Amino acid sequence: MAMCDSILAKGDKVPGFGHEYFNYTDPRLLHLKQFTDKAMQDNQNVFLAKRCLRIIPMYLQNKLGENSKATVFAYSSVLLQEIGFQDHNSHYLLA
């Protein structure tokens, strides 16, 4: 959670959590998660992303008191890495 605290201390939002329009779980995330659950079930980065999806929203809810549900960006970086995309400056890297 030190990473979250460091980002919040700068006044920024944690990438991949909290959405301007979706006050519920991002529907794009649900489709992406369904795919990875089938196609990459034994992948350690996917396992880590799943843990982050459970832990970080609760942590941010307790710390900020606002909706911080995961968005598609919380998961897409894992998939981009797995297919060989290496330009970390152009996507969120949480895993």
Side-chain angles (χ1 to χ4, degrees):
M1 297 299 98
M3 177 193 76
C4 292
D5 289 336
S6 172
I7 292 169
L8 295 173
K10 295 176 191 172
D12 294 330
K13 291 195 176 250
V14 176
F17 295 91
H19 195 279
E20 187 174 352
Y21 302 109
F22 298 124
N23 292 325
Y24 50 88
T25 302
D26 185 340
R28 302 168 298 172
L29 172 67
L30 299 177
H31 293 289
L32 198 56
K33 189 175 172 309
Q34 246 179 1
F35 169 77
T36 56
D37 285 349
K38 290 180 184 175
M40 307 172 105
Q41 60 187 346
D42 297 326
N43 184 289
Q44 68 182 10
N45 287 333
V46 171
F47 175 77
L48 179 59
K50 286 180 184 181
R51 289 187 62 124
C52 288
L53 290 178
R54 281 196 321 266
I55 296 167
I56 293 175
M58 290 186 297
Y59 180 77
L60 294 175
Q61 177 70 37
N62 289 334
K63 187 157 183 88
L64 303 175
E66 62 185 45
N67 171 24
S68 296
K69 293 191 183 300
T71 69
V72 69
F73 297 112
Y75 223 68
S76 61
S77 62
V78 173
L79 293 178
L80 290 170
Q81 282 184 306
E82 292 305 314
I83 62 171
F85 191 77
Q86 298 298 317
D87 184 4
H88 302 304
N89 292 321
S90 62
H91 69 282
Y92 298 117
L93 180 61
L94 295 177

